[in-house]
Amino acid sequence: MTSAVYFCDNKGKAILSRRYKDDIPLNAIDKFQTLLSDMEDETSVIPPCIAHNGIQYLFIQHNDLYVVALASSLGVNIAEVFAFLHKVMDILAEYLKTVEEESIRDNFVIVYELLDEMMDFGIPQVTDAKMLKKYITQKSFKLERASKKKRNAARPPSELTNSVSWRAEGIKYKKNEAFLDIVESVNMLMTQKGKVLRSEILGSVKVKSRLSGMPDLKLGINDRGIFTKYLEGNNIGVNIDSSHPDLKDNQSSITSSKSKAKSSIELEDLKFHQCVRLSKFENEKIITFIPPDGDFELMNYRLNTAIKPLIWCDMKVQVHDKSRIEISCTARAQIKKKSTATNVEIIIPVPDDADTPTFKYSHGKIKWVPEQSAIIWKIHTFPGGKEYAMTAQMGLPSINNAERPKFRRPVQVKFQIPYFTTSGIQVRYLKINEPKLQYKSFPWVRYITQNGDDYTIRLS
């Protein structure tokens, strides 16, 4: 596996390192700066893997840092190495808040401690931030004071050596609850005429566990969602109670029939938390797990599929005499009438030298933000099937008569739609069992669809 991990500055010069094996030369990292420079000269896109003299340089970039893993074997598991490097950055963010060259230099002691605990002889070990925080702390005075009392000395928790290393024993709550949120972010690029150029769904299943003891949870998901491809390949049928009110109220915007879902939904990516029993999922497509305490992401997925716009904006730009332009926007909620979009925000770009705006609108609030060169239209609630309009007139000194202004940025739309999923994923059951305590538990499930980072409409 990994022979060493290095933190380098934005030029590729090493500032901190941790070596796990002695199978690579000490000066191997010195070549990274030259290799990086050569790659920048040859191509605009630098590959994350560089091989030189039998040494593999695997790296990621974060702010003004390069995090580099060195390996001497071609048989190294590259996916595992990159997953580990990203996990290192996530855990450092928990400790340092902002991870950059200066914070790494100022906190090199804690970085060394974390690298020692997270990997041993090049093999990842402890990568759970909650476990690490129990015995690795930046407040060194607490460790010194505690070391005088052997009873209170900070020591690695015993659960690190257990089969369930992500959860401590003896957790107790007065009310045992488990909250499960399915959050889907929709990214979409559209033309001004309404043609969808690109669309994808990024889904995340988030869990907040407030359960006593060592509970075992079983999560059942319907076959209309992201597991369709897996269910087809394994010939495993899933019975769905179509009379269940939750399944009736939250149908997919893509399709509502099993056969149509199989032809239109294609799973692109799926990642589980380490607590999920993968063998159980592979054989039976059932998600079973012992959850960590508190908040965590159980799984995430991506669907690259064609969907219709959920919030559509029909944009029109007209040029008037005396250097004035008129921007009209008609927004439509293209979702079912029983669904309602909330916190809708439409960001309309305008030329940098636009001034003296006047507005007319049927709903919501509008404000002009000159520092962003944009008009922001906010609609608190937007019921499905409704249509609202606004018109903005503003001066534009740089424009000539009959000349249409050029917009360098697209229209951006932000929204949230509760109790709705775009992909059609539904939770059939969430069972909680604690064999020793046998307490009464309360599972809660919530669905949210929202805009992704790239839900935009081009202005031609």
Side-chain angles (χ1 to χ4, degrees), residues 369-434:
V369 187
E371 59 271 19
Q372 298 181 19
S373 298
I375 298 170
I376 300 179
W377 183 15
K378 294 183 179 180
I379 304 173
H380 183 61
T381 57
F382 203 156
K386 290 288 185 178
E387 183 176 294
Y388 301 127
M390 62 81 63
T391 301
Q393 289 195 19
M394 49 184 26
L396 197 61
S398 63
I399 196 171
N400 297 322
N401 289 340
E403 178 188 353
R404 193 178 189 279
K406 295 182 179 179
F407 294 86
R408 292 177 293 179
R409 294 176 294 146
V411 175
Q412 185 178 4
V413 184
K414 299 180 180 180
F415 59 87
Q416 281 191 348
I417 308 175
Y419 316 112
F420 176 83
T421 58
T422 311
S423 67
I425 183 174
Q426 299 291 330
V427 174
R428 294 193 297 129
Y429 57 83
L430 178 60
K431 298 179 180 179
I432 303 171
N433 178 40
E434 215 297 332

Side-chain angles (χ1 to χ4, degrees), residues 232-281:
E232 281 182 319
N234 291 274
N235 296 320
I236 297 175
V238 178
N239 295 321
I240 300 177
D241 182 8
S242 59
S243 64
H244 195 283
D246 290 343
L247 293 180
K248 284 185 176 181
D249 293 342
N250 292 285
Q251 294 297 326
S252 166
S253 66
I254 303 173
T255 179
S256 60
S257 67
K258 184 176 178 181
S259 60
K260 192 173 180 181
K262 287 184 179 180
S263 61
S264 60
I265 296 179
E266 183 177 353
L267 180 66
E268 292 290 335
D269 195 10
L270 178 63
K271 188 176 86 171
F272 289 108
H273 188 274
Q274 62 175 332
C275 66
V276 176
R277 299 182 182 95
L278 294 181
S279 59
K280 191 79 170 177
F281 174 76

Side-chain angles (χ1 to χ4, degrees), residues 346-389:
I346 303 170
I347 304 172
I348 305 171
V350 297
D352 295 339
D353 57 344
D355 57 16
T356 61
T358 58
F359 303 115
K360 293 181 180 179
Y361 51 95
S362 61
H363 201 76
K365 297 179 180 179
I366 293 181
K367 69 175 181 177
W368 177 44
V369 187
E371 59 271 19
Q372 298 181 19
S373 298
I375 298 170
I376 300 179
W377 183 15
K378 294 183 179 180
I379 304 173
H380 183 61
T381 57
F382 203 156
K386 290 288 185 178
E387 183 176 294
Y388 301 127

Side-chain angles (χ1 to χ4, degrees), residues 61-128:
Q61 191 172 11
H62 184 89
N63 293 334
D64 58 350
L65 289 170
Y66 283 101
V67 188
V68 189
L70 269 59
S72 60
S73 172
L74 285 172
V76 64
N77 188 332
I78 293 179
E80 184 176 8
V81 172
F82 281 117
F84 175 77
L85 294 180
H86 284 289
K87 194 67 179 179
V88 168
M89 303 312 291
D90 291 342
I91 291 177
L92 286 178
E94 294 272 347
Y95 279 85
L96 311 182
K97 304 304 179 186
T98 302
V99 185
E100 55 189 23
E101 181 182 348
E102 184 179 356
S103 61
I104 292 294
R105 291 184 184 274
D106 292 344
N107 299 276
F108 67 93
V109 175
I110 200 72
V111 175
Y112 273 120
E113 288 186 27
L114 289 170
L115 291 176
D116 279 340
E117 293 297 330
M118 293 182 68
M119 180 170 279
D120 184 26
F121 199 65
I123 300 174
Q125 299 293 319
V126 184
T127 57
D128 188 276

Side-chain angles (χ1 to χ4, degrees), residues 317-325 396 398-406:
V317 180
Q318 289 183 320
V319 179
H320 298 288
D321 294 337
K322 299 181 181 179
S323 301
R324 290 190 69 81
I325 62 170
L396 197 61
S398 63
I399 196 171
N400 297 322
N401 289 340
E403 178 188 353
R404 193 178 189 279
K406 295 182 179 179

Side-chain angles (χ1 to χ4, degrees), residues 1-6 17-32 50 52-58 68-74 76 121-122:
M1 283 299 298
T2 306
S3 299
V5 174
Y6 289 85
S17 67
R18 176 64 174 91
R19 292 173 58 86
Y20 299 101
K21 296 181 182 180
D22 295 326
D23 56 348
I24 57 173
L26 291 171
N27 60 352
I29 192 61
D30 297 338
K31 192 64 179 175
F32 177 68
I50 301 176
H52 180 75
N53 289 343
I55 298 175
Q56 315 302 318
Y57 296 82
L58 315 173
V68 189
L70 269 59
S72 60
S73 172
L74 285 172
V76 64
F121 199 65

